Amino acid sequence: MDSKRDELDQAIRTFDRDALAARVEDAARQAEQINAEFPLDEWPNLTLDRYALGHAGYKSSFCYRLEFKSPELGSISGGSSRKLLIYAKSDGSGWYFDQAYLDQERAWDDVRTGFVRAFELAGQGNIAEVDDITALRTGPALTAKTLYVYFPDELLPIYSQAHVQHFTELLRPTKAPALTPLTANRRLLTLVREDERFAGWSPMEVMLFLYGWADPRAGRAVMKIAPGEGARFWQDCRDGGFICVGWDSIEDLTAFGSEEELRAVFAAHYPYNGSAATVTTKARELWRLTQLEPGDRVVANEGVSKVLAVGTVIEPGYVYRPERPEFKHTVAVTWDESYAQTLIEPVRRWGVTTVAPVSATLWRQIRAGVSAGTPTAEGPVGTTEVEAPSDRHLRLVTEALERKGQAILFGPPGTGKTHLALRFAVWWLAHGRAGLDPLAEFGTSEFRRVLAALSAPSRPAETREKVGQLTQVTFHPSYGYEDFIEGFKPVKSDDGLRLELLPGIFKRVCRAAADEPDRAYLVVIDEINRGNVSKIFGELITLLEVDKRGIEVRLPQSTEAFAVPGNVYLLGTMNTADRSIRLLDAALRRRFAFYELLPDVELLEGAYVGRLHLDNLLNSLNSRVRAELGRERQVGHAFLLRDGRPLATEADLCAAIRGDVIPLLQEYAYDDYGLLARLIGAQVVDVEQQRLHELTDDEMVEALSAEFQVGLADQLPA
């Protein structure tokens, strides 16, 4: 706790408030402009058109001004427009509003009344009571930013509840209580004002400092975006400080409330030869522009191996530029051309995608290729250096473990459950361990070295148990309580074998964790559903609950007092094709958080073999599987990957189809070859002979291409 305070002291001492004066002034001007255009005394009679997005004149609306034209006041961009409470759907199908109302006018009456009441409460110094206004409850970020615009001294311009909690726990290193959004914001502001180190600081300065010191969004998105075919718009992008893409028949993306709304309009303009899967993929590429936030990175590429520059996204992010003759969808960036290079290994998928995520491995390669001796440009104030693209799975698993103490990764075969569990273990446990790389690439010798180091006792001379921070076990039908907790086991003696009461693996982990309460211990349980969990855990199932950690019980065999320390975490994996989570013991379901992993076609995006596009193949195949067998028996993306990369040759793809995918489908079909043919195609399955057709690799790829109609030509960028 003292070290955290020292770290904060140092950060405050080195924070240059004067350097941010211009940004603080810009924020004040933006707030003044909103106050002038939408004065408080006009709100009781404000019309829906003046408030909402989506209609013909929406660019003069309050919501447009708040989300897209006031970046210095803090961001509420990204996600769905549902956060704005009510808006006109861009496809002309009507209005979105809470279905508790009969129509948009009644919804707007209630929302407007809610805002008027919120302003009254804020003026009285009772902002926390705004959380009780039902009409505003589903728009916490919108409500918070609106109140900051009109009452800038009453709360901090931090609109994410998760970010508020993050900063609260840094300023006062205890678990922040679960408070409603504005109540939590006010609590953080109170902590700041009670701290003499922030004396005289404005809420805007505090916000800029907190994000600059400990941005919870560290590990930002990195996206590759091609500035036209053959990079023909690169000069425009470099000189103008933006990246641009086409699909110009689609107008301003800010008019769309969600990716689903965009997809419906996109399909009408760009049908891609009737391939629904391709439409979904390409619409997602375009929508990604709206999800980029300040501090994210853009890799401008030419072809499959040339990096032109890397840009840092700045406010306002996505901008539609109707004045451009073409390629009107843009994102504002600052460019750093020291990243310009030719990659040693071409990225084949770049040839058929315009906008695509950059993997952590590729981002490292790009960073390693920065011109020698050339300093890279810093991002905007308040951002942190990007070490690797963010991984939402790692963040969400962390949240699940912190909330419940134990979690289970579940999903169909091949969705990467064990892969994620081990990547998470390395990422989570290696932080702060000298000489261990938390971002080591899965499957490499470095990754195996880190796993071994985490599994070894950290203090062999001092700890009672020979276990490390990481313990891996696999449950199976014969695995029991005596293996996991304690039991009598045969051991060698001078007289031969004798039974001795020995601690099981979990008991040893708990003892070691008790010796090192400041260090997390993680038990990864593979195939957790294959064991009799109720029997394996026994009476200790109750002690797993977070509020019962540290409570002692007497073990029935040894009669020893035993407790599960608060720094012990369990992460299990289970295959839903073997057993649905609905069939798990109810006591287990209550005590574990569950995190589902489904086939992730984004990992295959842009990858192809011949004229067969892998993401579309998997999408189309799983559409059939869901219709015939249900979502729990889909085919995972891992079957089409090798060493984390999409299969690239006909031989590799056909080996995976014959050796992995078809046997899995045969197991699902229970020798029903009619069903198997409906899943994978009659050109692959001989229903009459109840066997597979003998196809060469070329014939197999052609058969799959014809069956699923997912040709490479459908995927060419706009």
Side-chain angles (χ1 to χ4, degrees), residues 10 82 115 119 140 165 333 360 371 465 467 558 579 594 611:
Q10 176 65 20
R82 294 183 181 91
F115 274 116
F119 300 148
Q165 180 170 333
V333 298
S371 303
E465 306 299 335
V467 297
S558 65
R579 187 182 187 191
F594 286 82
R611 64 186 186 90

Side-chain angles (χ1 to χ4, degrees), residues 21 25 91 94 119 160 177 193 235 259 261 291 350 367 372 396 475 537 614 641 693:
E25 291 173 4
D91 60 4
F119 300 148
S160 163
R193 287 179 171 166
Q235 189 70 40
E259 183 179 345
E261 285 186 25
Q291 306 305 297
W350 282 9
R367 290 194 61 186
L396 292 173
F475 281 3
F537 280 94
L614 299 189
L641 298 172
H693 288 297

